Amino acid sequence: MDYILSILIFFPFFAAFVGFLVNSNSIRVYGIITTFIEFVISIIMYINFDSHNPNMQFLQNIPIIPSYGINYIVGIDGISLFLVIMTTFMTMVSLIALSERKALKNLIITVLFLEMTMIGVFVALDAVIFYLFWELSLIPMLYIIGAWGGKLRIYASIKFFLYTFFGSLIMLVGMLYLGYVYYQTTGNWSFNIQDWNMLILPFDLQLWLFIAFFAGFAVKVPMFPFHTWLPYAHGQAPTIGSVILAAVLLKMGTYGFVRFSLPLFPDASSFFVIPIAILALIAIIYTAMVAYAQEDMKQVIAYSSVSHMGVIILGIFALNVEGISGSIFLMISHGIVSGGLFLLVGVIYERRHTKLISEFGGLATVMPKYATIFAFILMGSIGLPLTIGFIGEFLSLLGFFRTSPTLALLAGLTIILGAVYMLVMYKKSFFGEITKEENKKLIDLNKKELTALIPLVTLIIFFGVYPKPILEPANYAVSKMVKIMHAKVLDDDTAVKIVNVNSIGVQK
Amino acid sequence: MSEIPKITVDFFSLNFATIAPMIIVIVAALLILCIDLANKHLDKSLYIILAILALLIDLGFVLGFDSDTRGFFDLLLFDGVATLSQVIIIISSIFFMLLYFNKLKFHELNYPEYFALYLFAVAGFQFMVTSDSLILIFVALETSSMALYTMIAMHNRLTAIEAAIKYFTMGALSTAFFAFGSMIFYAQTGSVELSEISQVLTASGFNNYTIVLVGTCFIVAALAFKLSLFPFHLWVADVYEGSTSALAGFLSVVPKIAGFIVALRFFEIFIIHNDKFIEMLLYVIVILTMTIPNVIALLQNDFKRMLAYSSISNAGFAMAAILIGTTQATQSLFLYWIMFFITNLGAFAILWLNRTKNYTENSDDNLKKYKGLIKTSPLIATLMGIFMISLAGLPPFSLFWGKLYLIGSAVNAGHLILAVVMILNSAIAAYYYLKPVVFIFLNEPENDTLKLENSTSIIKFVVITSAIFTIFSIFIIEPLLQIISYYTQISGF
């Protein structure tokens, strides 16, 4: 079991290489089988995971550049556990539903590479290794958008690349500086996050380092006003690109906040709560309004993603166990829901080669299965109780309510606004008369698409009713993290604030 | 009239071993010329093999030194830095020499003089790094430069003549600057040895500071020409464009490392004394060298010109290590340049593979030529993509580790602004490195004219070797760092 995380990382990598040898006709099956095996490995990992243990599990440490403190360290805790499983699951689902035909072999090999980098990000515990996977994920995504995308694909892919690359470079300086601070304090080099957690940093240093890390994470999330690459990327990306981008890549940013910013810089995190909350609120409300104004189905979902990511950020910066666990839950639920929605848009685009809402209407009569599944996933997106979307949104907002009731109430608008733009889109495209002749002959979901979508619907309802499997390990890990934060804070006010917002009442 | 005392020189005091590595190369060069006298119809491959053989023996000799050794009336200084940089020079020369096993017939490669000149240039660089005497550095600089001018001019094209003339005239100017600077230092300190100059200046408390500064400015200008630092970088793009890719690749790596060592030895005098003025001067040069060519590179449509500007910017990065001046920075200079060599070798080798027979004005390495290369030759396209991404500094490819260590050393030395400038430049550079990637991977092939006309299995071997090192560089960083720190520490940097 000790090596299971390395197997998880490198199995897709080797599978990608073997993929070059596979015949083009069977590459799709090959892709599905390998991602299925990867998913099974992640489930085996989950079965062996001790949910009550808040510490890192399955740790593995191999020195790479010991003289500079860079080691290959991987481990997993309740925070990253389900993000990894969600990654393996969504990659598998997106390959099952894959409808691209052009250069399929390249596409599947690229997706397998991408899977390696995504899992690497979630399990790396050495900052340089984390950065390595983080940056490496840009290349396959650049290729997916640039080679299989729409008309403006090259512009979109370069914009995506440069935005995120620049943000992460600033983060790199922060990481190097933190490594140096560790060296100054202890006399040894280390980029191990767990070692770094022992450091107590002065307040002004925390501020600067927080900003450096923020640059990397905020662009990736994306937070307002760094979100402008996202609508282009989604608008131009092929379905599989959008699914993986929305489901997994965006979560890297929010995961980074939880893994790095909060425990390493508790005072700075507390200091920046209100400014970040305001940015998140703008994202929530403004992009929801922008989503309403979109004519393209995919853009509606893209903007709704930015809006939901705002809620995740709010949950994280609630600085309490409810908020952070809720945001972790929301990361997973948003992964499943937005991935599902992009898959659904992909289905209709495959049939009509358009995503404009005005081109549709009355789809429910010709495609009843499609309409039903769309409705379920849409409910998850709106955050209807008993769906997966509700728990995370509720907990995030509840968590933030302790920090600032006013802002939390404003953020609550997301549920209303989300319902407005989603339901309006649904009404326009699925109800009423069929106005276009082409729509009358549309074929309902086929077996392949049902195989991909039904598991999503099942999960959306299952975790909506019974969220414990995800919340329990997350709660343990987050409680431990909050205790670390509380033990590390320099400022008494911040310490009081952390105790106050945490209902479990951490004692110093 | 008093009688001039008789000078007796003990043969062993000359310490011939210190000069042996260079002698081997020079003898090999002369041998090549003599062979040609005897038989005019030999194939170039013989000369290439002879040259590589000489370089290998040379390498063996160099590796024999592991501590400070002086020779020839202290003209030569074989310290750790000299050994390390000679190893880099020789190994990279061997790899660039392998590129001449090409398929197309080139005018200059029919002449054995070309390979002799190549070896003379290498010997010149070796002398340059193995001395702290301004006179010997001057002579070495000239030896190597003269050889390079001729090699560029031998390429039978109009652009090549233009490049050679441009390089020659600018180089002549820099030679004059160097001579003038040395003269001022000699007048001030009575010595041309950098270690003695340093001692005298320190002892006198930098007496006549203004004159020292004037001398420094002359030397800086001379070195800046060789290292293509701003604002003396204007020749680079034209010279690279006029040279063959194999030679341009050589120019982008080997002469620079020799220049860096001279700069390292020279600026050490001032940096250990925290000379504010010189530091400021270097700071400005470094920042402008990193930034301005980077911005110009954004506008290039020719692959070689783009790589030329990129290599200027990279020289700025490496120069920053000298400015920082800490032990870690000196180590990062070597690490950075080794990583840069690994990547650039591959990139220029691929350009060389793609060289076509039919010459149209300026179309030689036009980026458009590479449209949709992934469809026509996927392996070469993928490798080129990897080299570009490595140059852009994405992990885990080679140049990332150079950048990581270099930026790390800037951060650790408290040069945060410098680190931020480096980061900004890396971000700008990412855009133009992406340009060929986009052309290669994301565009449809326009015409199927791009064939690997110049390819041979040996060039492919070079490309693949450099690709392997680029991709798996993560595993060689630790041993490299240990070697580098050993050699830099024994010479006190």
Side-chain angles (χ1 to χ4, degrees):
Chain A
M1 271 306 128
D2 288 353
Y3 301 108
I4 194 149
L5 294 178
S6 294
I7 296 173
L8 267 176
I9 296 176
F10 292 107
F11 175 71
F13 180 71
F14 290 113
F17 269 104
V18 177
F20 282 110
L21 309 172
V22 176
N23 188 293
S24 307
N25 296 325
S26 40
I27 190 77
R28 180 196 299 274
V29 180
Y30 174 78
I32 294 170
I33 290 174
T34 45
T35 48
F36 177 72
I37 295 172
E38 174 79 355
F39 175 62
V40 170
I41 299 172
S42 68
I43 293 298
I44 293 172
M45 189 256 311
Y46 170 66
I47 293 168
N48 286 283
F49 184 87
D50 176 8
S51 294
H52 296 273
N53 181 353
N55 297 316
M56 288 292 168
Q57 300 180 33
F58 312 122
L59 270 173
Q60 200 187 349
N61 188 341
I62 301 168
I64 292 182
I65 309 177
S67 60
Y68 201 37
I70 298 169
N71 304 299
Y72 170 83
I73 308 173
V74 290
I76 198 165
D77 65 354
I79 296 171
S80 43
L81 174 68
F82 269 91
L83 287 169
V84 171
I85 299 174
M86 193 257 291
T87 307
T88 58
F89 177 70
M90 287 310 291
T91 316
M92 179 181 73
V93 167
S94 65
L95 276 185
I96 293 175
L98 186 64
S99 57
E100 298 290 328
R101 287 186 192 89
K102 195 180 95 184
L104 199 59
K105 194 165 169 175
N106 292 1
L107 181 61
I108 287 174
I109 289 170
T110 315
V111 169
L112 288 171
F113 269 117
L114 187 58
E115 188 173 20
M116 169 196 75
T117 63
M118 295 186 298
I119 292 171
V121 165
F122 291 131
V123 300
L125 292 181
D126 182 281
V128 174
I129 303 300
F130 173 85
Y131 184 80
L132 190 156
F133 285 119
W134 173 277
E135 288 292 78
L136 210 50
S137 71
L138 297 181
I139 302 170
M141 206 58 208
L142 172 91
Y143 189 42
I144 291 177
I145 300 176
W148 287 274
K151 262 191 201 129
L152 288 172
R153 60 184 194 276
I154 290 176
Y155 174 77
S157 59
I158 292 181
K159 189 167 183 173
F160 157 76
F161 187 95
L162 290 181
Y163 259 65
T164 41
F165 184 63
F166 182 53
S168 9
L169 277 174
I170 298 174
M171 179 172 79
L172 179 66
V173 177
M175 286 175 173
L176 288 172
Y177 197 80
L178 206 45
Y180 176 63
V181 170
Y182 188 84
Y183 172 71
Q184 285 287 331
T185 326
T186 62
N188 290 313
W189 285 102
S190 176
F191 287 91
N192 184 343
I193 303 169
Q194 288 176 303
D195 287 349
W196 282 359
N197 262 333
M198 312 285 175
L199 287 177
I200 294 181
L201 305 167
F203 184 63
D204 52 342
L205 184 63
Q206 279 193 32
L207 287 187
W208 285 111
L209 286 173
F210 184 92
I211 292 170
F213 279 81
F214 179 81
F217 301 142
V219 173
K220 199 82 162 194
V221 170
M223 284 177 70
F224 180 86
F226 310 107
H227 68 286
T228 56
W229 61 267
L230 184 81
Y232 278 97
H234 272 313
Q236 300 302 321
T239 303
I240 189 163
S242 297
V243 172
I244 294 178
L245 187 64
V248 189
L249 286 190
L250 303 189
K251 306 305 175 300
M252 289 183 185
T254 45
Y255 170 75
F257 276 121
V258 179
R259 181 65 79 214
F260 286 86
S261 302
L262 293 192
L264 289 176
F265 322 117
D267 292 283
S269 302
S270 155
F271 180 81
F272 281 115
V273 161
I274 297 299
I276 287 179
I278 289 171
L279 286 184
L281 260 181
I282 296 175
I284 291 170
I285 297 169
Y286 165 73
T287 48
M289 284 154 78
V290 177
Y292 180 76
Q294 296 303 307
E295 290 166 348
D296 184 314
M297 279 174 142
K298 214 171 172 186
Q299 293 292 346
V300 177
I301 302 165
Y303 279 105
S304 97
S305 269
V306 183
S307 182
H308 283 113
M309 294 308 282
V311 183
I312 298 180
I313 293 289
L314 269 191
I316 292 171
F317 282 89
L319 300 184
N320 53 28
V321 179
E322 292 89 340
I324 302 170
S325 304
S327 67
I328 291 166
F329 192 90
L330 193 52
M331 285 183 217
I332 290 146
S333 77
H334 180 257
I336 296 173
V337 168
S338 67
L341 285 172
F342 278 118
L343 279 181
L344 287 166
V345 177
V347 166
I348 198 80
Y349 182 74
E350 173 70 9
R351 287 163 172 65
R352 281 290 321 273
H353 295 284
T354 177
K355 294 169 288 184
L356 290 178
I357 299 171
S358 56
E359 284 288 316
F360 301 105
L363 283 181
T365 43
V366 282
M367 301 175 77
K369 289 181 208 159
Y370 180 68
T372 318
I373 288 182
F374 205 120
F376 271 111
I377 299 184
L378 188 107
M379 293 307 156
S381 170
I382 294 171
L384 203 74
L386 293 185
T387 65
I388 196 169
F390 173 71
I391 319 277
E393 225 159 86
F394 174 75
L395 283 174
S396 299
L397 294 177
L398 177 74
F400 201 76
F401 192 80
R402 290 176 199 278
T403 306
S404 163
T406 334
L407 291 180
L409 284 175
L410 276 174
L413 284 175
T414 174
I415 298 174
I416 301 165
L417 289 172
V420 171
Y421 60 75
M422 279 294 180
L423 290 175
V424 166
M425 180 181 83
Y426 193 76
K427 190 193 104 188
K428 279 185 188 163
S429 20
F430 285 86
F431 298 137
E433 293 287 305
I434 301 176
T435 45
K436 301 270 185 224
E437 199 55 37
E438 303 93 310
N439 291 343
K440 286 187 179 155
K441 289 176 204 149
L442 284 179
I443 307 156
D444 208 348
L445 294 177
N446 58 31
K447 276 183 195 154
K448 184 186 83 182
E449 287 152 351
L450 283 172
T451 324
L453 289 166
I454 287 176
L456 291 182
V457 175
T458 319
L459 287 181
I460 286 172
I461 295 168
F462 178 78
F463 285 118
V465 179
Y466 185 63
K468 194 177 160 218
I470 300 179
L471 277 180
E472 194 181 49
N475 263 328
Y476 279 107
V478 171
S479 303
K480 187 191 165 205
M481 190 186 84
V482 169
K483 280 185 189 127
I484 292 175
M485 282 175 73
H486 184 252
K488 277 174 69 177
V489 285
L490 306 163
D491 187 33
D492 286 341
D493 291 345
T494 315
V496 171
K497 194 163 153 191
I498 289 181
V499 172
N500 282 343
V501 295
N502 277 287
S503 55
I504 52 165
V506 190
Q507 299 301 319
K508 188 154 189 172
Chain B
M1 270 187 42
S2 61
E3 197 182 327
I4 299 169
K6 197 176 163 196
I7 302 173
T8 51
V9 178
D10 179 19
F11 180 79
F12 290 101
S13 75
L14 287 179
N15 204 354
F16 251 86
T18 51
I19 204 174
M22 293 72 124
I23 294 286
I24 292 164
V25 183
I26 292 170
V27 167
L30 294 173
L31 187 69
I32 287 176
L33 294 178
C34 292
I35 292 173
D36 179 56
L37 283 179
N39 186 347
K40 292 242 180 255
H41 305 289
L42 290 168
D43 191 67
K44 66 169 182 187
S45 56
L46 173 74
Y47 303 121
I48 299 174
I49 288 167
L50 274 179
I52 289 173
L53 217 60
L55 289 168
L56 283 173
I57 301 170
D58 185 7
L59 183 67
F61 264 84
V62 170
L63 288 174
F65 290 90
D66 65 345
S67 61
D68 281 21
T69 319
R70 279 186 178 269
F72 278 87
F73 313 105
D74 291 355
L75 272 177
L76 284 160
L77 165 63
F78 228 113
D79 58 356
V81 170
T83 314
L84 189 58
S85 50
Q86 288 210 32
V87 171
I88 299 174
I89 288 171
I90 295 166
I91 292 179
S92 38
S93 300
I94 292 173
F95 273 99
F96 282 110
M97 183 57 101
L98 282 173
L99 294 183
Y100 290 117
F101 280 113
N102 58 328
K103 197 179 266 171
L104 295 180
K105 284 199 164 57
F106 285 93
H107 178 77
E108 71 268 34
L109 300 185
N110 291 329
Y111 294 99
E113 287 88 346
Y114 188 83
F115 303 100
L117 285 169
Y118 190 97
L119 291 180
F120 283 135
V122 173
F125 297 133
Q126 284 187 271
F127 270 118
M128 236 167 115
V129 298
T130 323
S131 179
D132 65 347
S133 157
L134 289 171
I135 299 291
L136 187 63
I137 292 174
F138 179 83
V139 174
L141 198 72
E142 281 315 286
T143 312
S144 54
S145 300
M146 285 296 168
L148 288 179
Y149 306 146
T150 323
M151 284 162 75
I152 296 168
M154 283 171 86
H155 192 44
N156 194 14
R157 274 192 189 173
L158 216 54
T159 47
I161 309 291
E162 183 202 325
I165 293 175
K166 203 162 193 171
Y167 197 16
F168 175 72
T169 37
M170 295 232 171
L173 198 64
S174 88
T175 307
F177 283 162
F178 195 90
F180 206 76
S182 317
M183 183 199 80
I184 291 177
F185 276 104
Y186 181 69
Q188 273 300 304
T189 61
S191 173
V192 286
E193 247 173 64
L194 288 174
S195 54
E196 277 179 33
I197 291 175
S198 175
Q199 276 169 16
V200 174
L201 285 179
T202 314
S204 69
F206 283 82
N207 203 2
N208 279 340
Y209 187 60
T210 328
I211 295 179
V212 173
L213 276 189
V214 173
T216 310
C217 287
F218 276 110
I219 302 256
V220 168
L223 286 176
F225 268 118
K226 287 293 150 204
L227 292 170
S228 68
L229 304 178
F230 182 86
F232 305 104
H233 67 282
L234 296 164
W235 54 272
V236 181
D238 293 329
V239 169
Y240 283 26
E241 199 186 0
S243 329
T244 56
S245 305
L247 186 57
F250 179 80
L251 283 176
S252 73
V253 175
V254 186
K256 300 255 172 85
I257 182 74
F260 284 131
I261 303 305
V262 176
L264 188 67
R265 294 191 199 280
F266 177 73
F267 288 112
E268 178 79 358
I269 300 175
F270 303 96
I271 286 180
I272 48 170
H273 289 285
N274 282 325
D275 189 308
K276 286 283 167 271
F277 189 85
I278 305 286
E279 267 180 23
M280 188 48 80
L281 182 75
L282 263 184
Y283 212 103
V284 172
I285 290 180
V286 163
I287 286 182
L288 291 178
T289 308
M290 282 193 280
T291 315
I292 290 177
N294 239 354
V295 176
I296 302 172
L298 294 174
L299 309 169
Q300 301 305 316
N301 291 318
D302 184 280
F303 215 136
K304 239 175 351 182
R305 286 185 80 86
M306 191 204 88
L307 284 178
Y309 283 108
S310 116
S311 77
I312 302 172
S313 177
N314 277 302
F317 270 80
M319 201 61 200
I322 294 175
L323 163 69
I324 298 162
T326 57
T327 311
Q328 197 197 356
T330 312
Q331 291 172 9
S332 66
L333 168 73
F334 286 105
L335 187 69
Y336 191 87
W337 214 249
I338 294 170
M339 294 294 130
F340 181 65
F341 155 64
I342 291 172
T343 312
N344 242 20
L345 172 70
F348 278 100
I350 290 183
L351 288 186
W352 189 225
L353 274 178
N354 287 322
R355 174 68 187 254
T356 41
K357 207 186 278 177
N358 299 324
Y359 172 61
T360 47
E361 191 72 40
N362 285 333
S363 69
D364 235 2
D365 287 303
N366 198 313
L367 276 172
K368 288 208 177 83
K369 194 171 119 177
Y370 291 86
K371 271 191 174 178
L373 189 65
I374 184 75
K375 301 265 164 59
T376 52
S377 41
L379 180 65
I380 295 293
T382 311
L383 296 182
M384 193 56 154
I386 287 173
F387 293 135
M388 287 301 117
I389 283 164
S390 167
L391 281 172
L394 245 79
F397 305 113
S398 60
L399 206 58
F400 167 73
W401 302 104
K403 283 202 166 126
L404 179 85
Y405 209 64
L406 182 62
I407 295 173
S409 67
V411 168
N412 303 345
H415 282 288
L416 277 178
I417 296 171
L418 192 65
V420 171
V421 175
M422 285 180 187
I423 289 297
L424 285 173
N425 276 303
S426 301
I428 299 172
Y431 182 75
Y432 62 77
Y433 291 128
L434 272 188
K435 233 160 113 181
V437 174
V438 167
F439 275 107
I440 291 171
F441 286 90
L442 308 182
N443 281 330
E444 292 299 316
E446 263 182 356
N447 42 12
D448 49 1
T449 49
L450 186 64
K451 295 191 186 90
L452 309 177
E453 280 185 37
N454 203 17
S455 100
T456 56
S457 45
I458 295 181
I459 304 183
K460 281 184 184 159
F461 161 78
V462 173
V463 172
I464 288 170
T465 314
S466 97
I468 289 171
F469 278 106
T470 306
I471 297 168
F472 298 106
S473 52
I474 185 167
F475 300 111
I476 56 168
I477 302 293
E478 180 67 21
L480 263 182
L481 276 175
Q482 273 167 9
I483 295 168
I484 291 170
S485 75
Y486 170 74
Y487 279 115
T488 45
Q489 267 160 18
I490 58 170
S491 52
F493 280 96

